[in-house]
Amino acid sequence: MRVLLTGHRGFVGRHLHAALDARGDDVTGIDLIDGRDALDLFRFDQRPYDLAIHCAAIVGGRASIDGSPLGVATNLALDAWYFRWLIRTGTPRAVFFSSSAAYPVALQQPGEIHRLVETDIDLANPGKPDATYGLAKVVGEQLAAVAEAHGTRVHVLRPFSGYGSDQDEAYPFPAFIRRAKERQDPFEIWGDSSSTRDWIHISDLVGATLAAVDQDATGPINLGWGRATSFDELASLVTTAAGYRPEIKHRLDAPQGVHHRVCDPKRMLDIYQPKITLEEGIRRALTT
């Protein structure tokens, strides 16, 4: 296939690029790192592609979500031009990466864990998502439905906590790995550490994305294991694998985000079975 991949130098984009290359697809990558702005392409380019995958964005780590609401909100403009471009060029297939941040924060509070299912977001009445980042993703899903109505099949994916060895340290997993490699003691964790996340390795995130395209999977799809892991548990797994037991220091003054963010992965499991457990992902990261 002729594939347009925006943000191809970012964490998800570069892994998708490698996977698409390995399949023999003809990939055109667009990234600000190379001096090429996806917004310019969406506004002016008319070239046809068989598939477009949109990864270009202001990324939504916790510090970015809480500390730069205007910055992450600029994704609204970029995504709007993406969907306008899809319709204008008649692109037949497309991927839009939404986010677990699109889910209502009311469903992610302390207490019993609610495993988020795709129907928990009603696009006609979506509830309050996680800050402007989550709001931009909800609007993106609404615009994806408009593009679908104009003839573009849009695969909407909602990744949960994607991670990998080469991820930026603005995210918790690589920060934990670095601290463990340095054998930091005490070991610092933001928040009270009882909050939980649902971790999915980047290779499985990519595998599930391509499976959704190949199998023409419809509707939004959660990407995750459905395994609730607290930050205390993550720290224990990482430090045990690194061979030491530090004191844990909780940074209660640091951003924490919602309390529980765990998915129901049934829709994903219909098309793709994840392969890299959290324990294996930690082992790989520590030995990289």
Side-chain angles (χ1 to χ4, degrees):
M1 290 189 293
R2 294 165 300 168
V3 182
L4 173 72
L5 177 61
T6 68
H8 77 288
R9 297 284 296 275
F11 176 55
V12 175
R14 61 179 173 264
H15 285 272
L16 271 168
H17 202 318
L20 291 163
D21 280 344
R23 288 155 54 110
D25 292 318
D26 179 11
V27 183
T28 298
I30 301 291
D31 200 292
L32 278 175
I33 292 176
D34 300 325
R36 305 180 68 192
D37 192 334
L39 183 58
D40 291 336
L41 181 140
F42 295 151
R43 291 174 65 193
F44 304 116
D45 197 277
Q46 301 288 341
R47 284 173 293 178
Y49 294 90
D50 301 310
L51 170 68
I53 304 178
H54 181 37
C55 297
I58 302 295
V59 294
R62 193 71 249 167
S64 179
I65 289 175
D66 288 349
S68 183
L70 285 174
V72 294
T74 60
N75 291 334
L76 282 163
L78 184 59
D79 294 345
W81 277 103
Y82 173 55
F83 291 113
R84 292 183 69 175
W85 174 83
L86 291 174
I87 293 169
R88 187 177 72 247
T89 59
T91 302
R93 306 284 293 280
V95 169
F96 175 67
F97 283 107
S98 183
S99 170
S100 55
Y103 281 102
V105 295
L107 300 177
Q108 302 171 70
Q109 299 303 310
E112 184 178 353
I113 296 172
H114 173 83
R115 283 176 167 75
L116 297 160
V117 65
E118 289 85 353
T119 52
D120 282 331
I121 297 178
D122 176 0
L123 291 180
N125 185 25
K128 183 180 183 298
D130 191 353
T132 59
Y133 182 77
L135 179 61
K137 294 301 186 180
V138 170
V139 174
E141 291 197 28
Q142 292 170 334
L143 296 177
V146 175
E148 280 264 356
H150 282 79
T152 298
R153 166 72 77 198
V154 183
H155 305 283
V156 176
L157 305 171
R158 296 176 184 162
F160 277 64
S161 294
Y163 72 96
S165 304
D166 59 338
Q167 190 177 26
D168 187 276
E169 283 190 20
Y171 290 85
F173 182 89
F176 277 33
I177 293 296
R178 177 182 58 79
R179 291 169 197 159
K181 285 182 175 180
E182 295 173 355
R183 302 182 74 82
Q184 291 187 10
D185 191 357
F187 191 99
E188 186 176 284
I189 303 176
W190 286 12
D192 68 7
S193 76
S194 65
S195 58
T196 61
R197 295 295 183 268
D198 189 347
W199 302 94
I200 179 168
H201 193 268
I202 184 62
S203 63
D204 284 322
L205 195 158
V206 168
T209 297
L210 297 182
V213 172
D214 293 343
Q215 299 179 41
D216 196 25
T218 59
I221 300 175
N222 288 334
L223 302 185
W225 279 75
R227 173 183 174 180
T229 303
S230 73
F231 285 103
D232 263 351
E233 291 169 333
L234 179 64
S236 178
L237 289 170
V238 169
T239 55
T240 298
Y244 81 118
R245 282 288 189 178
E247 174 191 351
I248 299 298
K249 178 182 179 181
H250 298 128
R251 282 276 313 278
L252 300 180
D253 61 325
Q256 180 169 333
V258 297
H259 203 82
H260 296 300
R261 181 165 284 168
V262 185
C263 82
D264 180 330
K266 289 187 180 68
R267 283 191 183 178
M268 182 192 74
L269 296 177
D270 286 339
I271 61 167
Y272 181 82
Q273 296 287 329
K275 301 172 179 59
I276 309 301
T277 64
L278 181 55
E279 289 80 3
E280 172 62 14
I282 289 169
R283 185 195 68 78
R284 292 186 183 189
L286 286 171
T287 56
T288 298

